[in-house]
Amino acid sequence: MSGAVTASTDSVRSGVRDKSLRVVDVRRADDYKKDHIPTAVNLPLADLLSDDDPGRVAKLAGAMGIDNETSVVVYDDTFGALASRVAWTLEYIGHADVSLLEGTYADWKSLGLESDSDTPDVQKKDHAASVRPEILATAEYLESAKERDDVILVDNRERLNYLEQHIPGAISIPYRTLGGNGRILRSQEEMRRLLENRGVSDTSEIITYCGSVGTLSGLAYYALKSAGHKNARLYVRSFKEWKSLQKPTAKQEDASYWDLSAE
Amino acid sequence: MQARDPRQKIDWSRMEEADNFAKTVRLFRQGRYDADSFRRFRLQHGAYGTRMTGDYAMVRIKIPAGEVYPHHLEQISRLSEQYSIGSAHFSTRENIQLHWVILEDVSEIMRGLAEVGLTSREACGNTVRNVMCSPLSGVCPDEEFDSTPYALATARFFLRNPMAQNLPRKFKFNFTCCEQHGMARMVDVGLIPATRDGERGFKVFLGGGLGNKSYVGHQLEEFTPEEDLLYTSISVMRIFDRLGDRKNMARNRMRYLVHDMGWEKFQNLVLKERAIVRATQSVVTQLQVDRTPGVIRRPLQVCDESGSSRDGYAKWLKTNTMPQKQPEYHTVFVTLEAGDITSGQLVSLAGLIREHSSEGKARAGFSQNVALRYVHKDDLPPLYSKLLDAGLAKSGALTMSAPIGCSGTTSCNLALTNSHRLAKEIQRKLLAMGLDDDPDLYDSSIKISGCPNSCGQHGIATIGFYGGGGRVGKDMYPNYQMSLAGRSDAGTMLGQTCARVPAKRVIPVILKIIEIFRGNKKPGDTLKSWLHRVATGAEDSDVKSISDIKKMLDPLIVPPTKDEDPDFYLDYGSDTNYHTKTGKGECAA
Ligand code: SF4
C-alpha cells in the first residue's frame, strides 16, 4: 500500500480483517465512541493540533500502536480534509506508509460496511521522529520562495474569500475542486487535466495554504501528490498566521462580488 | 459522474468543445492567439468577461425554453462550488450563470455541462441567444396551444448552425403562451401562439428590444402559419445578416435596422425573402417539433407533513402560485433575491422537483426565478414547508416585491452602480413591510439596471431604474434614472423618465410613489393601471402627469452634503467612496 495516496475501501476492509493495517479515525471522540471502522483508533484532530511538536506526535503514534513501519490509513467525515492534516503530520515526522481512505466515514456507512463501537486493545510501540522539513512551508520560507519562478502558491479557500484577500501571487483552487464522484480526491487524470489547464507544471514546487490550520490545504497537498506532483509543501499555519504577522495581502478590486452570493 | 435524464430528449452539448476551449485558452495565454479572435471565440462558447479583470469569466449556461431537470441543478450546484463562488444566478433570459470562474477552468465547467447534456455554446456573442419560452407555456389557461416544442425546435435548429455564427449582433427569440405572460414585443423575434380555423400558427413580432435605445416590436402579419415559422425566422436572420450594421457597435441590433429602414419596408423585405426561402429550401430543412406530450405522473408522497399550518402559507399561496388549465394542478414560483441561489439550495430544489412536480422538471422564469409546475393542490402544503426549510419560500414572487436587478458592479464591466444589491435591499424592505400582500401592487414590477444598457429590463418596469453617477461639487454618489409606467403586455409601452434618484433614496421614493398612488387611486385601480393613466394623460386627479409625480418626489431626492450624511456617498455593498469605473463592454449587455 505504500506510495498510494488513497486506500481503496476494499483494501482497508481486508487490512482490517488480516490486521495488517492501523486505521486512524480523526473525528471527535463522541462520534468515534458511537461507531467507527472496526479496529480503528481515535485521534481527534483538535487533540493533535493542541500540540503538534514532532516529539509529541511520535509519542501519540506509538501509543496508537504505530511504529515507523506500520501501514496507516486515516479517515474522517469532513471530505478528507481533517484526515489529510493528520496524515501529513505523520509524514512530517518521517512516517512513510500512510494513506487516506478514498471516501469519508459517511460514504463507508452508506455502503452498509461493517462498523462497531469497540475500542481496540493496542500494543504500544516506538515511533522515531525524523522530521522531513522538505514538506513544510513556514511563513519565512514562503516569503522568500514565492519570489522564485519555479514556485507556485495555491490558495484552497473558497473563491469569495480568495477574491477578498489572499497572499500576493497565489492562485485559487477551492478545496471543493479536489474531490468528486463520491471520492475525497478526484481521479488522477482529472486532477492532472485541471492542473495542466492552470499551467501548474510537474517541475514546479507547489505550496498550499488555506484559512487557518492546514486542513483544506492538506487535502490539496495529497491531491497534488496523487496527480504526480512530488514537490509539494504545506504552509501549515496558513493564512491565519500570515495575517497575524501582518504580511502583505492582495485583493480583487473594484467589484462587489460578495453581493452575488446568495448566503 | 452525472448522466443525462432520459426524459431530456435533446442533448445540447458536445464534449469536444470543452477540450477545444482548453486548448485555445492555452494558445491565447502563450500569445499564439490574438486578443480579438480569442474574445470572439470565448463569447461564442458562452464565457463572458468579468469586471476589471481578464483572469475571470462568467459562464452562461443556456436553458433552452427554460426547461431544467433536477440533475441539471445538482450538477450546476457542484460546478458552482468547484469553479465559482458557491452560488449560481438565474438570469432574466432563462440562463443560469456562474460568476468569477477562472478562465482556465471554463473548460472544466463545459465538461460538467456536457455530462448532463447542457451547453453554454452561443450564450454570448453575435449569435442566436438562448431561445426563451414562457414558464407557463403548456399550463397557461389563456394560451391557444403549448409553444414549448416550437421553442425547443428553434433552439435546436440554430444552435451551431453556420448561418448564426457571425451575425452583426446578438439575436433573440422569445416564445410566449399568451398576451399577458412573456415579452413578445421586446425582442428581435417574439412569438405568441395563435390559431386560425383550427390551424396552428403564431403572431410574430419583429424588431423590438430593450437597450440604450428601446423599441417595441411590430407584428409581421395577422397570422403566420406553423409551417412558415422556420422560413420566417431564416428570412429575418438573412436580412439582418445582410443589411445589419457591423460597424457601429452601439446601433447594430436588428431593432435599429428596422427603425432606420422603416417598418413597412422591412416588413416587405421579410415577406419577399420568405417567399424565396420557401421556394429554395430543401424539404429536409425543417423544425423538428416534437409534440409527444410529456408524462404527467404525480410522485408518490412519502410524508404527509402538513405545511398549511406554518407561518405565511396563505400569503405564499396567494402570491407565489397559479392554478393551471389542468384541473387540480398549480404552478409554484420560487423567487430568489436578484436571481441568486446557493449550491445547497440548488440541491434542495432538485429534490423538491422530483418529489412534487408531476412533470419531473422545472422551468426558469422571466424574472430571475424558477417555476415548479404540475404540483397537485394537495401537495402544496408539504411543498411550502420544505421550501421554507430550504430558504426558498419567500412570498411575493408574482408581485412587485420581487424586483429584478442585473449583475451591476458585482461582476459586470460596464456597471456604474450595484443594481444587484439594490434589488435585494428593495425586496427585503417590501417583504418586511408586508407590501407583497397588497393586491393593488400585484401586477406592478420593479426592475433595475446598473447602467443605461437594459439587462435589468428597466424600460418595461412599472418602476424602473438605471444606474449612473451623481455629483455634488467634487463628490460623487451612486444615482439612478427612474422611469415609470413601462409595461410588456399587449399594451407594451416604455416607461417615462421621471427623476434622478440617488441610490440611497430609491427605497423611500418607491414608498412615496405607493403613498401618492393610494391617495389618488380610484376603486379598482392598481398601481400599474393608475400610473398608466397618469403617463398617458388620462388621469383626472391632482396628479396629471409623470412630472407632477416628480414634483412630489423632489424634496426626497436632494443630496445632503458629505458631512451631513456620509453613507449617501457609498453604494450598497461598498465601504469606500463612490466613483464610476468601467471596463470594455462585450455584448454591451
Ligand atoms: S445593464 Fe449594464 S450594468 Fe447591468 S448587466 Fe447590463 S451592461 Fe452590466
Side-chain angles (χ1 to χ4, degrees):
Chain A
M1 184 167 309
S2 181
V5 170
T6 54
S8 72
T9 305
D10 272 352
S11 69
V12 171
R13 290 180 75 210
S14 59
V16 164
R17 243 181 273 120
D18 61 25
K19 303 202 170 53
S20 60
L21 257 192
R22 175 52 71 210
V23 181
V24 181
D25 180 326
V26 303
R27 296 175 305 149
R28 289 178 314 165
D30 286 349
D31 296 328
Y32 170 81
K33 268 179 217 139
K34 250 178 256 154
D35 55 23
H36 49 256
I37 295 179
T39 77
V41 292
N42 188 213
L43 174 58
L45 178 66
D47 191 1
L48 177 82
L49 293 182
S50 66
D51 175 7
D52 60 355
D53 172 75
R56 176 177 180 256
V57 177
K59 276 204 197 86
L60 283 174
M64 294 188 294
I66 299 171
D67 64 19
N68 289 63
E69 309 306 319
T70 314
S71 287
V72 178
V73 170
V74 192
Y75 73 88
D76 65 15
D77 222 352
T78 317
F79 47 85
L82 309 193
S84 296
R85 180 64 171 80
V86 172
W88 178 88
T89 309
L90 289 173
E91 263 197 64
Y92 181 61
I93 64 159
H95 194 95
D97 188 358
V98 55
S99 48
L100 305 167
L101 177 62
E102 64 182 353
T104 61
Y105 185 58
D107 297 333
W108 178 279
K109 291 267 281 189
S110 71
L111 292 168
L113 303 178
E114 46 282 270
S115 64
D116 63 33
S117 56
D118 303 339
T119 310
D121 288 332
V122 176
Q123 207 191 334
K124 268 197 173 179
K125 293 204 171 146
D126 271 337
H127 198 297
S130 47
V131 171
R132 295 180 58 206
E134 71 275 16
I135 64 168
L136 170 75
T138 59
E140 201 188 339
Y141 176 82
L142 177 57
E143 211 162 20
S144 63
K146 77 185 181 63
E147 305 307 326
R148 289 181 7 225
D149 279 350
D150 63 335
V151 170
I152 296 174
L153 183 57
V154 179
D155 183 319
N156 300 113
R157 298 171 304 150
E158 287 171 15
R159 178 67 38 82
L160 282 172
N161 298 110
Y162 170 83
L163 289 170
E164 186 178 63
Q165 211 178 24
H166 56 261
I167 300 178
I171 64 169
S172 160
I173 303 187
Y175 63 94
R176 288 287 184 199
T177 313
L178 308 169
N181 298 327
R183 301 277 159 84
I184 61 169
L185 294 178
R186 56 163 75 199
S187 74
Q188 183 182 38
E189 178 204 350
E190 282 186 30
M191 195 66 215
R192 288 193 69 86
R193 192 181 61 227
L194 178 94
L195 293 170
E196 214 170 278
N197 287 345
R198 292 291 200 89
V200 178
S201 81
D202 275 342
T203 52
S204 316
E205 172 179 322
I206 304 169
I207 304 174
T208 65
Y209 77 90
C210 54
S212 66
V213 295
T215 46
L216 307 178
S217 46
L219 186 63
Y221 169 86
Y222 284 106
L224 290 162
K225 266 186 96 169
S226 78
H229 283 262
K230 298 200 179 60
N231 200 0
R233 287 176 190 251
L234 176 61
Y235 175 28
V236 78
R237 303 272 174 257
S238 281
F239 199 53
K240 195 169 166 192
E241 179 191 71
W242 186 263
K243 271 201 301 190
S244 72
L245 295 173
Q246 301 188 329
K247 303 275 185 199
T249 61
K251 76 176 285 200
Q252 186 68 39
E253 304 274 3
D254 297 316
S256 327
Y257 28 82
W258 279 101
D259 288 326
L260 270 173
S261 163
E263 297 283 7
Chain B
M1 194 197 281
Q2 288 272 354
R4 206 153 60 81
D5 187 316
R7 279 170 308 186
Q8 180 195 340
K9 290 181 197 146
I10 306 172
D11 181 354
W12 305 99
S13 69
R14 288 226 185 124
M15 190 58 97
E16 66 268 23
E17 288 176 350
D19 292 331
N20 188 27
F21 194 89
K23 218 182 299 153
T24 309
V25 169
R26 268 204 297 276
L27 290 176
F28 168 63
R29 290 295 199 205
Q30 293 160 2
R32 288 154 65 194
Y33 210 98
D34 73 276
D36 269 352
S37 324
F38 178 71
R39 198 171 54 99
R40 227 174 297 123
F41 172 84
R42 167 165 63 69
L43 291 169
Q44 188 188 34
H45 286 78
Y48 193 68
T50 292
R51 189 170 177 78
M52 305 302 169
T53 164
D55 294 339
Y56 297 90
M58 176 267 275
V59 178
R60 181 178 281 160
I61 304 160
K62 281 174 142 177
I63 308 293
E67 282 199 336
V68 68
Y69 290 80
H71 69 291
H72 290 156
L73 299 174
E74 287 160 348
Q75 185 80 332
I76 291 168
S77 161
R78 179 177 78 74
L79 296 172
S80 81
E81 287 184 341
Q82 296 193 323
Y83 307 108
S84 174
I85 59 169
S87 294
H89 174 81
F90 279 82
S91 82
T92 53
R93 292 207 76 255
E94 299 178 349
N95 301 292
I96 300 180
Q97 300 177 170
L98 296 174
H99 287 273
W100 293 96
V101 174
I102 288 173
L103 182 59
E104 279 76 3
D105 284 351
V106 169
S107 55
E108 290 294 301
I109 293 186
M110 291 168 69
R111 298 184 79 90
L113 295 177
E115 283 172 14
V116 295
L118 288 174
T119 193
S120 57
R121 169 95 191 197
E122 292 155 45
C124 312
N126 297 333
T127 58
V128 174
R129 301 296 189 82
N130 190 40
V131 174
M132 289 183 63
C133 189
S134 164
L136 295 170
S137 285
V139 303
C140 172
D142 298 326
E143 72 183 2
E144 292 287 338
F145 59 88
D146 179 5
S147 61
T148 313
Y150 301 87
L152 289 170
T154 302
R156 186 181 205 171
F157 184 85
F158 288 112
L159 184 66
R160 300 187 183 87
N161 187 318
M163 91 170 84
Q165 300 307 303
N166 187 22
L167 296 166
R169 197 74 162 83
K170 59 186 169 184
F171 198 80
K172 299 176 179 175
F173 285 91
N174 285 8
F175 285 79
T176 75
C177 45
C178 65
E179 285 284 358
Q180 194 62 29
H181 310 116
M183 268 176 293
R185 290 172 181 80
M186 297 314 286
V187 64
D188 297 298
V189 183
L191 304 110
I192 305 176
T195 49
R196 192 178 58 186
D197 309 326
E199 185 198 1
R200 283 183 171 204
F202 291 89
K203 283 193 224 166
V204 179
F205 297 87
L206 300 175
L210 288 166
N212 214 332
K213 211 153 171 19
S214 305
Y215 295 105
V216 177
H218 303 267
Q219 187 170 350
L220 177 63
E221 59 203 337
E222 238 339 83
F223 179 81
T224 306
E226 176 181 9
E227 62 273 12
D228 270 348
L229 171 58
L230 181 62
Y231 300 142
T232 310
S233 306
I234 292 178
S235 31
V236 172
M237 239 154 67
R238 278 192 183 178
I239 292 168
F240 179 47
D241 196 27
R242 244 180 2 241
L243 303 176
D245 188 341
R246 283 177 201 271
K247 297 220 173 62
N248 187 353
M249 173 85 169
R251 284 183 57 82
N252 50 12
R253 290 294 297 273
M254 191 176 77
R255 59 178 181 272
Y256 296 106
L257 178 65
V258 176
H259 177 81
D260 294 349
M261 184 183 282
W263 168 244
E264 262 167 45
K265 199 162 165 213
F266 186 86
Q267 180 186 31
N268 273 325
L269 264 180
V270 172
L271 296 176
K272 264 198 214 124
E273 186 79 20
R274 186 172 69 188
I276 298 169
V277 172
R278 207 192 274 127
T280 56
Q281 285 299 317
S282 80
V283 282
V284 293
T285 309
Q286 41 181 283
L287 287 180
Q288 298 173 35
V289 181
D290 181 350
R291 280 171 57 180
T292 41
V295 180
I296 303 301
R297 196 184 306 120
R298 193 176 160 200
L300 221 59
Q301 294 308 306
V302 277
C303 84
D304 62 353
E305 169 205 6
S306 170
S308 55
S309 55
R310 290 186 71 174
D311 260 8
Y313 177 72
K315 196 203 271 188
W316 174 84
L317 193 65
K318 205 161 42 175
T319 62
N320 288 39
T321 74
M322 274 165 91
Q324 298 182 181
K325 67 178 168 193
Q326 294 82 2
E328 312 219 305
Y329 281 109
H330 289 251
T331 294
V332 171
F333 283 84
V334 175
T335 177
L336 306 165
E337 286 190 336
D340 294 338
I341 184 165
T342 65
S343 55
Q345 288 174 330
L346 283 167
V347 172
S348 307
L349 189 62
L352 294 180
I353 295 166
R354 285 198 189 94
E355 287 166 36
H356 294 289
S357 165
S358 304
E359 61 175 353
K361 58 190 170 190
R363 298 280 280 240
F366 292 157
S367 338
Q368 304 178 324
N369 57 1
V370 204
L372 269 69
R373 319 190 312 168
Y374 286 98
V375 177
H376 192 269
K377 67 177 180 4
D378 295 344
D379 299 341
L380 289 169
L383 174 58
Y384 173 70
S385 180
K386 289 179 209 161
L387 285 170
L388 206 55
D389 293 340
L392 292 171
K394 268 193 194 65
S395 57
L398 298 167
T399 75
M400 190 172 87
S401 305
I404 284 177
C406 71
S407 57
T409 53
T410 65
S411 71
C412 174
N413 242 333
L414 294 168
L416 299 166
T417 54
N418 192 344
S419 43
H420 199 72
R421 172 72 175 269
L422 178 59
K424 295 184 179 190
E425 296 286 339
I426 294 171
Q427 181 173 29
R428 289 171 198 165
K429 182 70 180 179
L430 297 184
L431 290 181
M433 293 180 67
L435 286 172
D436 54 323
D437 216 5
D438 182 345
D440 290 350
L441 305 178
Y442 281 0
D443 63 354
S444 296
S445 60
I446 297 173
K447 298 176 200 277
I448 311 162
S449 304
C451 79
N453 292 303
S454 298
C455 311
Q457 306 173 338
H458 58 266
I460 48 167
T462 317
I463 309 180
F465 299 91
Y466 71 83
R471 198 185 276 281
V472 176
K474 59 180 187 9
D475 298 321
M476 291 199 77
Y477 59 89
N479 207 7
Y480 285 92
Q481 179 68 256
M482 179 175 73
S483 55
L484 298 175
R487 54 197 287 174
S488 61
D489 52 10
T492 292
M493 189 175 115
L494 291 167
Q496 288 184 17
T497 301
C498 174
R500 287 191 178 278
V501 183
K504 292 289 166 76
R505 299 293 179 266
V506 164
I507 292 175
V509 159
I510 291 171
L511 298 178
K512 182 72 185 177
I513 291 169
I514 295 171
E515 187 192 309
I516 298 171
F517 154 68
R518 283 176 174 165
N520 291 282
K521 70 170 195 149
K522 299 205 170 60
D525 268 347
T526 65
L527 176 63
K528 177 179 166 179
S529 65
W530 181 76
L531 276 176
H532 185 77
R533 278 210 311 277
V534 174
T536 51
E539 172 65 4
D540 54 12
S541 69
D542 286 349
V543 186
K544 292 195 171 50
S545 67
I546 297 295
S547 67
D548 284 348
I549 295 181
K550 175 173 188 304
K551 276 179 216 131
M552 300 167 85
L553 299 175
D554 274 339
L556 278 176
I557 55 185
V558 187
T561 65
K562 209 165 189 170
D563 290 336
E564 286 166 344
D565 186 358
D567 177 66
F568 180 89
Y569 291 85
L570 308 178
D571 200 354
Y572 282 106
S574 166
D575 50 14
T576 52
N577 278 330
Y578 177 78
H579 58 280
T580 51
K581 203 167 187 182
T582 57
K584 190 172 174 343
E586 293 211 312
C587 349

